[in-house]
Amino acid sequence: MAEIEREAMDVDVVIVGAGPAGLSAAIRLKQLDEELNVVVLEKGSEVGAHILSGAVFDTSGLDALIPDWKDKDAPVKTQVTADEFTMLSEKAGINIPLWPMPPLMSNHGTYIVSMGQVARWLAEQAEALGVEIYPGMACSELIFDDAGNVKGVVAGEFGKQADGTPGPAYEPGMELHGKYVFLAEGVRGSLAKQVMSKFQLCKDRELQKFGVGMKEIWEIAPDKHEEGKVTHTMGWPLGKNASGGGFAYHAEGGQLFLGMVIHLNYQNPYLQPYMEFQRMKHHPKIAALLEGGKRVAYGARAVSAGGWQSMPKAAFPGGALLGDSVGVLNYARIKGNHNAMHSGIAAAEAAAAAIKAGRAGDVLEDYETELRAGPVARDLKPVRNVKPLVTKLGLYLGLMFAGFDMWMNTLFGFSLFGTMGHRKSDAAATGKAKDYPKIDYPKPDGKLSFDRLTNVSFSATNHEESQPCHLQLKDPDIPVKLNLPEYAEPAQHYCPAGVYEVLEENDGPVFRINFQNCVHCKTCDIKDPSQNITWTVPQGGDGPNYGNM
Ligand SMILES: Cc1cc2nc3c(=O)[nH]c(=O)nc-3n(C[C@H](O)[C@H](O)[C@H](O)COP(=O)(O)OP(=O)(O)OC[C@H]3O[C@@H](n4cnc5c(N)ncnc54)[C@H](O)[C@@H]3O)c2cc1C
């Protein structure tokens, strides 16, 4: 194929991803120097279209970025008024008292928000400062300078045919070059993954760990809705099969944000995170809340869970990783938005100072230092052993030790356990099918629980079918020849959007990828035991279209 010619545009800072991290960076850059040219590129059809979060929102990042956010009518209105932690058994649930928990676990002063709406509002603030935001522009490639430093990205390539060649409506997109390139792609960023590998950013760090989070929005009966109430659950239906838990946040407008996060280090390859979530809704306590209500939206997204010890080096030659692309989610608090914003602010401050000093394309070491010493560090360090302790000791004992460890960190600033490691990658944790029982999930009833494809239609997901499949197999034979006999091809089980199927045809089993259904959660890129699936970015504007997530 002839080399593709593209127009190039030079700006000061190129930001990939209009989530809380990318938009905070853009805003801070313009606050520091209104002359800077800042461009934000977003693959969703509009800002917020691909944002999925709980979300109980700790406003510390927003306070630092836009202290008068209340006067600016930020969509951050519903203060948390009741906070509950319930341990579920199959038929009952007991509320665990919250007073023994260290203060860092408290939701006092936090808000229940739609992060999609917050992102749209942040985009308005950014545009008012002169930031250029281009939604529908997927960044598909990195561009390097002669010295091998990142100097830009290719964005907005459209109209490739299924075989990868340009179709009749082909648009080559353009090159955006920046003095610094910020990758704020969220968890398991496809470009972030490439820079981590090229610049060995994960060297001497612990493995990253992940979970898959699924969320439905329900409109529930007014007499059951308690605006401001937050409930977290643990226990049933996961039991010993997996760790994770559920959440139910009573948001404004009679809505309930209901979801579940399941950690991807589970072993049984038959486990279906999606069906565990559906099953959770049949618990008497949750079913009572939902009866008479209706589900209005669905989506799924991975979360990073490795925490402090798993964060790669964030600064690389020519740019930086921001937000969940560098793994800033606080596992114990199930919160990442505030840290995403803090990381965006810190990266912006380092880049603005560097540009002012006449630098470009080097390593923003000041960002690295701030990330390892500033608000993100203060949030993540005290909880760094929670995940390893729960993995090692199991839910109940693990939580007891984790509570003790968080108190030690809070009161004395150190841990008796030091900094614990994560043993295996989530892919490697997957066990062999022969060693685990099949799990017989009840059929969804269509009232409280739904099959995957019906639910995917509530994410308004759409992909142009004529483009190349963005879920690439390194070896097309592995699913049927290795994964199926060894692991019951877990892609058909772990994908929360029903993208992967194993079909029995005359010549034997066939692995099919329905990429059109992909909600961009990235679970396949993380959990495939053979690490054979690479999630690449489809053309811009495709994917879910979340309204209020
Ligand atoms: C179910 C669930 C519940 C959660 N609950 C909470 C909670 O209650 N509180 C909390 O604080 N946090 C919560 N989180 C975590 C929180 O959502 C994340 O920490 C946060 O979204 C990270 O922000 P980010 O800006 O780094 O990434 P994201 O919010 O993921 O934004 C990344 C953006 O980059 C875009 N993008 C990615 N790749 C490209 C590309 N190549 N080209 C162009 N655009 C691209 C994406 O479309 C997206 O818009 C939850 C997460 C999940 C999944």
Side-chain angles (χ1 to χ4, degrees), residues 243-277:
S243 67
F247 61 86
Y249 303 153
H250 294 247
E252 62 187 322
Q255 290 197 326
L256 184 77
F257 297 165
L258 183 75
M260 191 174 208
V261 176
I262 296 184
H263 290 273
L264 288 173
N265 58 357
Y266 65 81
Q267 294 162 322
N268 186 337
Y270 293 106
L271 189 129
Q272 297 190 33
Y274 175 83
M275 291 306 289
E276 297 290 341
F277 173 39

Side-chain angles (χ1 to χ4, degrees), residues 428-485:
T430 313
K432 298 277 171 78
K434 66 177 174 46
D435 299 326
Y436 292 89
K438 285 188 180 169
I439 304 176
D440 197 13
Y441 289 103
K443 210 169 158 332
D445 69 355
K447 294 187 187 106
L448 295 180
S449 49
F450 312 98
D451 64 72
R452 278 187 291 200
L453 293 188
T454 306
N455 236 355
V456 169
S457 69
F458 281 75
S459 66
T461 296
N462 180 48
H463 288 85
E464 174 60 52
E465 297 202 11
S466 57
Q467 67 185 304
C469 174
H470 66 280
L471 303 160
Q472 294 175 359
L473 300 179
K474 288 179 200 150
D475 178 346
D477 289 336
I478 280 185
V480 167
K481 291 215 172 117
L482 178 77
N483 277 2
L484 188 58

Side-chain angles (χ1 to χ4, degrees), residues 164-208:
T165 57
Y170 180 69
E171 296 280 345
M174 62 187 304
E175 291 192 4
L176 276 302
H177 299 169
K179 291 178 180 141
Y180 295 99
V181 176
F182 288 172
L183 301 179
E185 299 176 284
V187 71
R188 200 69 164 189
S190 44
L191 301 180
K193 217 175 133 183
Q194 291 171 35
V195 297
M196 282 183 210
S197 157
K198 178 172 167 72
F199 299 112
Q200 297 192 4
L201 302 178
C202 303
K203 197 165 159 251
D204 304 326
R205 308 284 160 104
E206 282 294 323
L207 289 163
Q208 187 54 273

Side-chain angles (χ1 to χ4, degrees), residues 16-23 41-44 48-58 115 137-140 184-187 189-191 212-215 232 247 249 259-261 300-303 322-325 328-329 333-338 340 520 522 535 537:
V16 179
L23 291 168
L41 303 156
E42 167 56 47
K43 66 178 162 67
H50 290 182
I51 299 292
L52 185 135
S53 196
V56 173
F57 185 46
D58 166 345
M115 266 328 273
M137 293 284 271
C139 301
S140 46
E185 299 176 284
V187 71
S190 44
L191 301 180
V212 55
M214 295 147 290
K215 176 179 169 187
H232 289 105
F247 61 86
Y249 303 153
M260 191 174 208
V261 176
R301 184 87 176 92
V303 294
L322 273 54
D324 268 2
S325 287
V328 296
L329 183 122
R333 299 179 66 205
I334 339 168
K335 289 185 187 59
N337 292 304
H338 61 302
H520 297 196
K522 319 253 177 105
W535 191 98
V537 73

Side-chain angles (χ1 to χ4, degrees), residues 251-491:
E252 62 187 322
Q255 290 197 326
L256 184 77
F257 297 165
L258 183 75
M260 191 174 208
V261 176
I262 296 184
H263 290 273
L264 288 173
N265 58 357
Y266 65 81
Q267 294 162 322
N268 186 337
Y270 293 106
L271 189 129
Q272 297 190 33
Y274 175 83
M275 291 306 289
E276 297 290 341
F277 173 39
Q278 296 307 304
R279 195 146 71 152
M280 184 188 84
K281 289 184 285 175
H282 287 274
H283 188 277
K285 271 183 172 275
I286 298 170
L289 202 56
L290 300 180
E291 258 149 30
K294 66 170 180 186
R295 168 272 275 115
V296 294
Y298 166 74
R301 184 87 176 92
V303 294
S304 55
W308 174 251
Q309 54 272 55
S310 301
M311 282 166 65
K313 187 171 184 333
F316 54 83
L321 300 172
L322 273 54
D324 268 2
S325 287
V326 70
V328 296
L329 183 122
N330 183 320
Y331 163 86
R333 299 179 66 205
I334 339 168
K335 289 185 187 59
N337 292 304
H338 61 302
N339 282 341
M341 297 184 76
H342 283 302
S343 77
I345 294 170
E349 290 174 350
I355 292 169
K356 198 169 174 200
R359 288 164 41 203
D362 56 356
V363 181
L364 293 169
E365 291 294 357
D366 288 353
Y367 169 48
E368 188 71 28
T369 308
E370 175 61 12
L371 210 54
R372 294 262 147 204
V376 174
R378 288 194 289 277
D379 191 63
L380 291 184
K381 230 175 149 182
V383 302
R384 66 192 181 281
N385 291 326
V386 175
K387 167 107 179 141
L389 282 168
V390 172
T391 306
K392 216 179 167 89
L393 303 175
L395 182 61
Y396 300 105
L397 201 58
L399 280 183
M400 272 170 55
F401 275 89
F404 169 74
D405 192 52
M406 286 190 285
W407 269 115
M408 291 295 288
N409 275 292
T410 304
L411 296 175
F412 308 112
F414 85 100
S415 164
L416 287 179
F417 304 107
T419 297
M420 296 174 74
H422 301 298
R423 284 182 285 188
K424 278 183 187 168
S425 73
D426 294 329
T430 313
K432 298 277 171 78
K434 66 177 174 46
D435 299 326
Y436 292 89
K438 285 188 180 169
I439 304 176
D440 197 13
Y441 289 103
K443 210 169 158 332
D445 69 355
K447 294 187 187 106
L448 295 180
S449 49
F450 312 98
D451 64 72
R452 278 187 291 200
L453 293 188
T454 306
N455 236 355
V456 169
S457 69
F458 281 75
S459 66
T461 296
N462 180 48
H463 288 85
E464 174 60 52
E465 297 202 11
S466 57
Q467 67 185 304
C469 174
H470 66 280
L471 303 160
Q472 294 175 359
L473 300 179
K474 288 179 200 150
D475 178 346
D477 289 336
I478 280 185
V480 167
K481 291 215 172 117
L482 178 77
N483 277 2
L484 188 58
E486 294 280 309
Y487 304 100
E489 184 40 272

Side-chain angles (χ1 to χ4, degrees), residues 84-87 94-101:
E84 202 175 74
F85 180 59
T86 309
M87 194 60 81
I94 43 164
N95 286 349
I96 308 287
L98 295 176
W99 59 261
M101 302 256 195

